[in-house]
Amino acid sequence: MDFRLDDEQEMIVQTIRRFADRDLRGWAADADRAGAPPERLHAMAAELGFFLDAVPAGSGGALDGAYAHTMRTLRGFELGRGCAGMAALLETNVEPALAAGAWGSDAAKQALFGSLSAGGLATFAHDSRGLLEIEDTGGGLRVSGKLGPTPALATASHVLVAAGEVLFLVATEGLARQPITPSGWRVAQWATATLEAHHVPADFVLARGEPGRTAIAAVLSWIRTSLAARAAGVATGAMEHAFAYARDRVQFGQTIGTFESLIRLRDDALTGAASARLMALYAAWAIDTAAPDAADAASRARVHAGDVVARATVDALQIFGGYGFVNDYPAEKLMRDARAFEALYGDERLGRVLAAKAQAAAR
């Protein structure tokens, strides 16, 4: 097995790394304080191929052939090193676009791809707690309940919704949306949306029943793998910031980066981040090759990466000491950002426990 990147992959990784190091990190602190992305983000990211990479070329996008989740994972890691909140915005169109391309009607594709090609955003919401009330109206749906909180929902034109065994697309025009600014990923334009007997036309119902469960499992595999890669990037970035601080901070006549306890702390965190990145890459490879364990690999990668980033950002805060709590330094932001990776789109640990109990009861 060859683990080396090919020339195209290496070029893309290096390009995204420069963008993350120079621009995303440079914007991160001010954007976090403002709770909004910089105006230049969309234009610069579009030049680098974001937003339309999962939209077919024939529909105004850049996708020609099969989508490469492995490449998305490589870039997601670099984006996480830059800023988790802006990374969420840069990746937000992928799941809706891929789902519409795979299972959508011509009307759904036309509506979504037309909006994205015009510069719009879409997002994904998973009703992991089963709170939505969904009524079949003879092809279409009538949906009531609350969506979110979900990144990008405050400005998205469409939401891909996974609920139970139904995957459907909702146009947000006319929806009651409540923008919120949580403690983590503050720039990600979060919101909730309230649906009151909202009509979803039959053309916007992508899959239901057994095909719906299969489609939802695929979509969750995509988003979980992306989250794992970005979380590994945040963990790595936290240690990079901590190393730079420890290299310059002097106590007892020497830089704190030479203290054995801090060396061990950083080394353990980097080991965890490296393993999380590899698990994400394996999950992406499994998706790209349609391996039978792709969904399980994506779930485990996301869970492990969530644990790793939570620990790594706390460790980075310890290395910064009291300065870690000051927003002039990046540590406290990174620790806040880490929390979203643990909770977003459902709890896989609980899901596996419930699945195991159901299997045991069926025997």
Side-chain angles (χ1 to χ4, degrees):
M1 184 178 293
D2 188 355
F3 289 93
R4 292 175 298 180
L5 303 184
D6 60 33
D7 291 343
E8 181 181 7
Q9 290 173 328
E10 185 64 37
M11 179 191 69
I12 293 174
V13 166
Q14 292 301 323
T15 300
I16 301 303
R17 180 171 297 173
R18 286 192 296 270
F19 173 58
D21 288 345
R22 180 192 61 201
D23 297 307
L24 296 186
R25 285 190 178 181
W27 296 331
D30 289 340
D32 182 73
R33 295 186 188 102
E39 294 181 0
R40 293 172 292 171
L41 176 66
H42 199 287
M44 291 188 65
E47 292 179 2
L48 294 173
F50 291 98
F51 303 121
L52 295 178
D53 62 304
V55 176
S59 299
L63 181 62
D64 185 12
Y67 189 80
H69 290 273
T70 304
M71 189 64 249
R72 185 192 187 191
T73 299
L74 289 168
R75 83 178 186 191
F77 174 80
E78 301 300 334
L79 292 176
R81 289 180 56 256
C83 175
M86 283 184 271
L89 290 177
L90 297 176
E91 296 285 87
T92 191
N93 287 350
V94 175
E95 279 69 34
L98 289 181
W103 306 292
S105 65
D106 289 341
K109 292 176 184 177
Q110 182 177 358
L112 178 63
F113 296 159
S115 174
L116 299 186
S117 298
L121 296 179
T123 189
F124 170 63
H126 180 210
D127 182 30
S128 60
R129 298 182 180 180
L131 300 179
L132 291 179
E133 297 179 5
I134 301 176
E135 177 187 352
D136 193 318
T137 60
L141 304 172
R142 184 173 290 111
V143 184
S144 297
K146 179 181 175 182
L147 291 178
T150 300
L153 182 53
T155 58
S157 64
H158 293 82
V159 187
L160 176 69
V161 182
E165 57 181 24
V166 187
L167 184 69
F168 56 96
L169 198 64
V170 173
T172 60
E173 185 178 0
L175 283 188
R177 284 184 280 183
Q178 179 62 47
I180 60 175
T181 305
S183 61
W185 300 11
R186 287 174 52 82
V187 307
Q189 298 179 315
W190 296 74
T192 60
T194 302
L195 286 69
E196 297 181 359
H198 182 83
H199 176 63
V200 178
D203 283 339
F204 276 32
V205 180
L206 276 57
R208 69 178 82 203
E210 185 59 35
R213 286 191 289 271
T214 301
I216 289 171
V219 174
L220 288 174
S221 296
W222 304 338
I223 191 68
R224 287 166 175 167
T225 301
S226 177
L227 284 171
R230 286 180 263 155
V234 173
T236 302
M239 286 300 111
E240 291 171 347
H241 287 295
F243 175 73
Y245 176 79
R247 183 184 55 205
D248 298 331
R249 175 66 170 167
V250 175
Q251 285 186 350
F252 309 113
Q254 57 183 317
T255 59
I256 64 173
T258 62
F259 295 170
E260 182 177 331
S261 61
L262 297 190
I263 292 173
R264 288 180 180 273
L265 203 66
R266 179 173 176 269
D267 188 64
D268 287 346
L270 288 176
T271 299
S275 67
R277 179 176 180 270
L278 288 174
M279 288 185 70
L281 285 168
Y282 173 78
W285 172 85
I287 294 170
D288 286 339
T289 59
D293 67 335
D296 184 69
S299 175
R300 294 182 188 278
R302 183 274 181 101
V303 168
H304 178 60
D307 291 343
V308 165
V309 72
R311 176 65 184 272
T313 52
V314 169
D315 289 345
L317 196 75
Q318 288 187 309
I319 292 173
F320 275 88
Y323 286 122
F325 294 94
V326 180
N327 65 11
D328 290 340
Y329 294 86
E332 60 87 25
K333 173 189 179 299
L334 295 172
M335 189 172 69
R336 287 188 280 109
D337 286 345
R339 296 301 174 264
F341 291 108
E342 298 178 281
L344 198 58
Y345 305 124
D347 185 343
E348 286 99 305
R349 279 194 176 98
L350 176 60
R352 281 198 290 272
V353 169
L354 295 177
K357 290 179 69 175
Q359 290 175 357
R363 292 193 183 102

